[in-house]
Amino acid sequence: MTPAEPACSRFDVPPIDDAAVPDYVREMEQAASYLTAPQLAMVRRAWTIGAAAHAGQTRKSGEPYITHPVAVAGVLAEQKLDAETLVAAILHDTIEDTPLTRACIAAEFGDTVADLVDGVTKLDKLHFRDRQEAAAESFRKMLLAMSRDLRVILIKLADRLHNMRTLGAKNPESRARIARETLEIYAPIAQRLGMNLIKAELQDLGFRALYPWRHTVLEKRIRTQPVVRREALVQIEANLAQRLAKEKLPHRLISRVKSPWSIYTKMRAEHKSFAQVMDVFGFRIVLRTVADCYHALGVVHATYKPLDARFRDFIAIPKANGYQSLHTVLFGPYGSPVEVQLRTEEMDLIAERGIAAHWSYKDGSEGPNSAQSRAHNWISGLVETQHATGSSLEFLENVKVDLFPDEVYLFSPKGDILSLPRNATALDFAYAVHTDVGNQAVAARVDGKLVPLRTRLANGQRVEIITARSSMPKPQWLEFVVSGKARTSIRQQLKHIEHEDAVQLGHRMLDRALEALDTSLERVPAERVEAYLQEHRYPRLEALLADIALGNRMPSQVALQLSREAGARGGQRRAEPVPLSKDRILITGAERGVITFANCCLPVPGDEIMGYHTAGKGLVVHRMDCPNVADYRKSPERWVAIGWDRKVSGDFSAALRIEVDNRPGALASVAAAIAEAESNIDRVEYLERDTHIAVLRFSIEVGDRRHLANVIRKVRRLGVVMGVQRI
């Protein structure tokens, strides 16, 4: 091809005569017969261009490669998707595997089709290897492609479904990897998008490929059900149909057969035998209207008694993927439970096709409960989460929480319905309402009763979050939240708070260092500061200040470089060494992430203290009488003069060495005295012990030096105590 030749010229193929069209294309077009004649012509044109682009390429089975993308389009045609999606499906491998370009596809079929093909092309590079960074990063890309156009994931799911149907040509290792990836990622996505037909087939094919022997055994057992069971099924069906007909309720009654995968997972999860799992009859009743569904529910409850606490109304409260149905369990005539689902035709379509139903069933499917809008909301929430997540692995971990939901449905004070994962807490609910509500939450009211944020929620509860502007997230919150959004938001906010504290402390440290050189940050020319930032690759001044606080840059050295340049501009040059500032930096102890208290001496407010600048840790605070301070004198440039601020508050760790008479009740007496002094005990350990004396170390929390002295006084007064010493 010469440079002047258009990129698409080699694929400008003439139309193919009807007689020459292969059978596999005719089958796909038959499935797409709901399209108009011009749309079918566009799909045919896509095949001719795709066939020319893939000419000479074959699959592992030896078939021409073009048979695969045409089969993918056929899967989507069965779901009655629009013509653009079918065209994109036929061309989905061309950008990746052929010289056909995005520009060429756009010129021929428009930008929408080109965007769909481009989105799927990126997805085709995905190879999920559970818990590996590459897989997680790929999942991020897939999510972003889904957020732009949901049809991208529909094409990818159809592509995966056809690959699973033709998995036999792969080697055993590849089959197992692809099957595991299908069960772990693609089937749950299909379920989350409400596409139950595709989900069920993906699960069945994945199960067959991963555990062929188990699948064969279960399939055979299902096929050879006892005659008694088959007769019972027919009898129950006849009874239900007769009662519904008497009430003049037009309906479709379908008996449901369990799949090998659903039986297998239930046997494993509930530790049941095959007979126990199969000893449940299932029926679906499809009716005309919602009112008919509730009417029919009364009829089936009158036919067979319902089992208590087994009724679920997913019409009033739809599932997160838009699924709507009434579920009830009846006590059957043969002593076995009878599971019944009641729904309208539209609900049945959405239950089977999920978001794919949006393109073929426009009537009433645009509301807030539609699978389409719920899928968009889910993906929008994930996009928001991925922007705030630090690592791809953390993001994938959060998404998996949402992909395997065992949901609880909760009400806001205004009556809005929120769905959260099982074991969700009041704090998860707060973050589900809004990130700011979560960040400022202090407590909750559940059904009018005041409860702490860690309270687990149950289905149907009404939750109100109490907030305070002064409140902020605490690291302990990460121990009990379960939703991905809550975890990500808390981590992000904690990092933000730590960064702000680091910037403030770094600013004070640099100011002190510059004051020792008779200058200040304000007097250093802005261009010099900018040049220093560029030289050391800092995006802004805050990043440098945070790095100083974290011990990664010495404030004295930064100050020297900045002031030296400033002095040079004034005709002066400064000589080494740098004098240290005698002014103390005052701390409150609440500076998160940049100040730590040394475990060797455990300083508390009121102690004389010094700070040691440690790379990566920031300021490590020691008592001046700490035995380790002598070693730190060897690095005076890392010393930081610090003191306690007047506004110090909170609890600080301290340790006491207590000698007691080793007799029953001695330990309890000491613990009671410490509690009486309003101090918490973190830990108690024996340092020495013999028949007469026991030496214990008490790790406690105190407010300041006076509080500690009060604790020591109360302990000393005890008759069993022979000595108290602060460690």
Side-chain angles (χ1 to χ4, degrees):
M1 187 169 70
T2 63
E5 186 184 353
C8 304
S9 62
R10 71 165 71 181
F11 304 110
D12 192 13
V13 291
I16 292 177
D17 187 71
D18 246 20
V21 174
D23 288 343
Y24 65 87
V25 177
R26 289 188 186 282
E27 286 174 21
M28 181 269 294
E29 289 180 339
Q30 185 61 38
S33 58
Y34 57 89
L35 297 177
T36 63
Q39 288 173 331
L40 281 169
M42 182 169 75
V43 172
R44 171 78 66 88
R45 175 72 177 151
W47 165 67
T48 59
I49 289 176
H54 287 293
Q57 297 178 359
T58 57
R59 303 195 78 206
K60 293 266 185 191
S61 60
E63 298 171 294
Y65 191 85
I66 189 63
T67 58
H68 165 64
V70 170
V72 171
V75 171
L76 295 167
E78 288 166 9
Q79 301 286 314
K80 292 188 166 46
L81 271 122
D82 59 310
E84 287 177 331
T85 310
L86 302 191
V87 170
I90 292 170
L91 301 174
H92 80 266
D93 279 331
T94 53
I95 294 178
E96 175 87 5
D97 299 332
T98 78
L100 195 66
T101 63
R102 185 197 180 284
C104 181
I105 294 170
E108 184 72 35
F109 299 104
D111 282 331
T112 303
V113 171
D115 287 342
L116 287 172
V117 175
D118 196 37
V120 180
T121 298
K122 289 184 174 65
L123 302 196
D124 280 343
K125 296 175 185 174
L126 306 190
H127 296 289
F128 287 104
R129 297 184 303 278
D130 190 37
R131 296 197 163 278
Q132 292 191 13
E133 188 71 31
E137 187 57 35
S138 297
F139 192 82
R140 260 193 213 260
K141 291 175 185 170
M142 181 166 79
L143 170 78
L144 294 172
M146 286 162 64
S147 70
R148 286 191 287 272
D149 193 326
L150 282 170
R151 289 174 293 181
V152 168
I153 193 61
L154 298 186
I155 297 169
K156 187 60 189 171
L157 287 171
D159 175 49
R160 175 49 60 114
L161 182 57
H162 184 252
N163 281 333
M164 290 301 294
R165 286 173 179 174
T166 56
L167 202 57
K170 298 274 188 182
N171 62 53
E173 188 181 333
S174 294
R175 279 204 301 271
R177 177 182 57 78
I178 294 168
R180 187 171 289 109
E181 168 183 303
T182 298
L183 291 171
E184 287 183 359
I185 300 292
Y186 289 103
I189 287 176
Q191 180 174 2
R192 195 61 178 74
L193 299 177
M195 304 173 69
N196 286 330
L197 285 177
I198 285 182
K199 174 212 74 173
E201 191 174 352
L202 285 173
Q203 286 176 335
D204 192 54
L205 293 169
F207 181 36
R208 180 187 293 169
L210 201 57
Y211 304 111
W213 185 79
R214 298 178 198 183
H215 183 278
T216 304
V217 169
L218 287 175
E219 194 174 41
K220 187 178 178 183
R221 292 284 297 276
I222 293 167
R223 206 169 46 245
T224 58
Q225 285 182 58
V227 176
V228 178
R229 176 179 165 79
R230 288 203 294 272
E231 287 176 354
L233 199 65
V234 171
Q235 185 61 49
I236 295 168
E237 190 172 344
N239 286 349
L240 290 173
Q242 185 182 358
R243 292 296 187 96
L244 290 166
K246 279 185 180 178
E247 292 292 322
K248 294 184 171 52
L249 283 169
H251 66 277
R252 282 192 297 119
L253 181 59
I254 310 138
S255 61
R256 296 188 300 116
V257 180
K258 285 186 168 65
S259 68
W261 173 252
S262 68
I263 291 170
Y264 176 69
T265 50
K266 198 161 191 174
M267 285 170 68
R268 290 190 66 182
E270 300 179 15
H271 306 290
K272 289 183 175 178
S273 68
F274 177 84
Q276 287 173 310
V277 172
M278 285 304 292
D279 193 22
V280 177
F281 300 101
F283 295 92
R284 181 180 304 143
I285 304 172
V286 183
L287 301 117
R288 290 181 308 178
T289 65
V290 171
D292 284 353
C293 292
Y294 287 103
H295 186 173
L297 178 69
V299 173
V300 299
H301 281 180
T303 308
Y304 299 116
K305 292 285 181 246
L307 290 179
D308 193 29
R310 294 294 299 274
F311 169 67
R312 300 292 297 275
D313 188 341
F314 293 116
I315 292 179
I317 306 174
K319 284 190 176 183
N321 59 13
Y323 173 89
Q324 288 183 286
S325 193
L326 296 175
H327 287 198
T328 187
V329 179
L330 312 172
F331 189 76
Y334 302 94
S336 299
V338 180
E339 293 178 349
V340 181
Q341 299 171 351
L342 305 100
R343 59 178 75 143
T344 65
E345 290 284 359
E346 180 192 355
M347 290 171 191
D348 194 48
L349 184 74
I350 289 170
E352 292 186 340
R353 295 190 193 163
I355 62 167
H358 167 78
W359 283 274
S360 61
Y361 197 107
K362 296 291 182 184
D363 240 4
S365 63
E366 300 288 340
N369 288 333
S370 72
Q372 175 82 357
S373 63
R374 283 174 173 261
H376 272 301
N377 292 340
W378 174 58
I379 291 166
S380 299
L382 292 186
V383 170
E384 182 188 332
T385 299
Q386 76 95 24
H387 286 316
T389 307
S391 74
S392 300
L393 277 174
E394 181 187 332
F395 172 64
L396 183 56
E397 172 197 326
N398 291 341
V399 173
K400 280 189 172 183
V401 170
D402 290 329
L403 278 181
F404 300 94
D406 189 353
E407 292 152 343
V408 289
Y409 295 92
L410 305 151
F411 293 91
S412 73
K414 293 180 180 177
D416 296 329
I417 301 164
L418 281 81
S419 63
L420 288 170
R422 186 180 49 151
N423 295 329
T425 62
L427 188 57
D428 288 294
F429 182 91
Y431 277 103
V433 172
H434 196 279
T435 305
D436 290 343
V437 174
N439 288 338
Q440 297 176 359
V442 290
R445 281 195 182 90
V446 175
D447 293 334
K449 184 182 176 185
L450 199 63
V451 298
L453 291 172
R454 62 169 59 241
T455 304
R456 286 185 178 178
L457 303 173
N459 256 325
Q461 288 181 323
R462 183 173 171 275
V463 186
E464 181 185 354
I465 302 300
I466 299 165
T467 60
R469 285 190 178 182
S470 58
S471 177
M472 58 180 65
K474 300 168 183 62
Q476 295 87 340
W477 285 6
L478 291 169
E479 294 170 11
F480 58 82
V481 292
V482 299
S483 63
K485 182 180 180 183
R487 187 173 286 107
T488 301
S489 300
I490 293 165
R491 282 177 179 157
Q492 185 190 24
Q493 191 66 11
L494 288 174
K495 284 176 189 170
H496 177 68
I497 294 167
E498 288 176 6
H499 178 73
E500 282 187 346
D501 286 343
V503 170
Q504 289 178 11
L505 183 63
H507 199 299
R508 283 185 279 167
M509 292 171 75
L510 184 57
D511 271 346
R512 295 293 185 277
L514 286 167
E515 281 170 17
L517 299 170
D518 300 326
T519 185
S520 67
L521 197 54
E522 288 72 27
R523 284 156 59 191
V524 176
E527 60 269 22
R528 174 57 198 148
V529 174
E530 193 58 41
Y532 183 91
L533 295 176
Q534 286 182 4
E535 181 187 344
H536 295 89
R537 297 182 181 177
Y538 286 108
R540 54 189 182 279
L541 179 61
E542 286 81 359
L544 168 64
L545 298 175
D547 232 14
I548 289 171
L550 290 168
N552 299 325
R553 290 244 170 230
M554 297 303 299
S556 54
Q557 292 171 357
V558 176
L560 185 67
Q561 281 188 261
L562 293 176
S563 63
R564 179 187 290 152
E565 184 67 22
R569 288 170 186 270
Q572 300 174 357
R573 279 199 172 273
R574 293 193 173 272
E576 305 278 2
V578 186
L580 296 175
S581 170
K582 297 292 185 284
D583 289 338
R584 296 192 303 171
I585 294 173
L586 302 181
I587 62 167
T588 64
E591 294 85 353
R592 304 176 192 222
V594 287
I595 285 185
T596 53
F597 295 95
N599 287 324
C600 52
C601 56
L602 297 172
V604 300
D607 288 330
E608 284 295 318
I609 53 175
M610 55 81 69
Y612 189 72
H613 210 204
T614 310
K617 290 184 179 178
L619 271 187
V620 180
V621 181
H622 291 263
R623 287 173 15 210
M624 288 298 281
D625 58 359
C626 174
N628 292 326
V629 165
D631 289 337
Y632 299 138
R633 293 185 189 278
K634 297 169 187 174
S635 308
E637 74 282 357
R638 290 192 173 272
W639 273 53
V640 181
I642 57 172
W644 296 102
D645 194 285
R646 287 183 181 179
K647 296 179 181 177
V648 174
S649 63
D651 293 320
F652 295 81
S653 295
L656 298 177
R657 184 180 185 277
I658 303 176
E659 287 184 28
V660 296
D661 193 355
N662 191 12
R663 65 186 188 202
L667 178 57
S669 300
V670 174
I674 292 173
E676 195 181 324
E678 297 182 350
S679 174
N680 291 325
I681 300 170
D682 281 337
R683 192 177 169 197
V684 182
E685 56 186 317
Y686 281 98
L687 300 177
E688 299 170 32
R689 196 175 187 182
D690 60 28
T691 50
H692 302 295
I693 297 174
V695 181
L696 302 111
R697 176 192 165 106
F698 278 79
S699 297
I700 62 173
E701 289 180 348
V702 294
D704 54 25
R705 193 179 171 93
R706 284 184 181 179
H707 188 189
L708 178 61
N710 187 37
V711 173
I712 292 172
R713 267 196 305 274
K714 286 202 179 288
V715 171
R716 276 201 177 121
R717 288 174 187 164
L718 297 173
V720 293
V721 173
M722 303 165 74
V724 184
Q725 181 185 353
R726 181 183 177 186
I727 298 176

